[in-house]
Amino acid sequence: MLPRRPSREISRKIDMALAQVGTIPAIQHLEFKLGMNTLGVVIVTCFMTLATVLLLLNLGAAFISDIVGFFYPAYQSLRGIDLRQGHKQWVAYWVVFGTLKCMEHFIQAILKVLPIYYVSKSLFIYWLVAPGSQGATKLYDAGLAAGVRFWDSKCKRTTYY
């Protein structure tokens, strides 16, 4: 059986490193903006850096843009349901994301010759979900709401049998 001492030592060193990283002003700013501790900010930053590099190199770009477009919005949607707030933003997001995924199915041939598409898609998804931009809500208010009202008025039954 292995002694427990090395794992405590590793844990202590990780805590010391996180304490040092936590003194960096940019990390402190991200902690405040994201509402996370230093470890959460480091994990998110590492993931986003890796995802950005892979997107720019077009390595697994379709998969990465879908992952970026799914996990954070899914988490925020579940939080919105639990907290009973933010429904409009996340419902609008899922409508836009679903529409985007359906369109991709029909334009696959074009996407193969446009390597910048997945980078653009990821930036668009970021704009949709970023707390400061509330892009999905803006998109809904700017045009989707009028379309929903139009089709809703055309499709409602006026007589009931």
Side-chain angles (χ1 to χ4, degrees):
M1 183 159 189
L2 294 173
R4 289 193 165 283
R5 189 155 174 83
S7 65
R8 285 189 203 147
E9 184 65 22
I10 291 170
S11 178
R12 188 179 66 75
K13 286 185 179 186
I14 290 172
D15 289 343
M16 286 174 47
L18 287 173
Q20 285 181 331
V21 169
T23 62
I24 299 170
I27 298 292
Q28 292 172 344
H29 179 74
L30 286 173
E31 287 176 3
F32 175 74
K33 284 290 193 181
L34 298 174
M36 296 180 161
N37 62 18
T38 304
L39 179 61
V41 168
V42 168
I43 290 170
V44 167
T45 303
C46 288
F47 173 77
M48 293 305 291
T49 302
L50 178 64
T52 301
V53 168
L54 292 174
L55 276 170
L56 292 173
L57 295 175
N58 205 23
L59 299 172
F63 177 70
I64 291 168
S65 66
D66 286 344
I67 292 295
V68 169
F70 177 76
F71 282 107
Y72 178 75
Y75 171 71
Q76 290 297 342
S77 297
L78 294 172
R79 277 189 73 225
I81 291 168
D82 190 43
L83 301 173
R84 291 176 172 57
Q85 61 186 359
H87 294 296
K88 182 178 180 181
Q89 164 68 12
W90 297 111
V91 169
Y93 171 80
W94 288 115
V95 168
V96 172
F97 185 74
T99 303
L100 196 59
K101 290 300 294 171
C102 289
M103 286 182 358
E104 284 177 0
H105 177 72
F106 294 107
I107 59 171
Q108 276 299 328
I110 297 170
L111 298 182
K112 290 180 182 176
V113 296
L114 292 174
I116 194 90
Y117 170 75
Y118 292 107
V119 172
S120 302
K121 176 185 169 186
S122 296
L123 291 172
F124 178 64
I125 287 171
Y126 175 75
W127 176 76
L128 288 173
V129 302
S133 72
Q134 295 283 312
T137 301
K138 287 179 183 172
L139 191 61
Y140 176 80
D141 290 340
L144 294 175
V148 168
R149 283 191 295 274
F150 172 79
W151 286 108
D152 196 37
S153 69
K154 295 290 183 194
C155 296
K156 279 189 177 176
R157 287 178 58 180
T158 55
T159 57
Y160 297 95
Y161 298 102

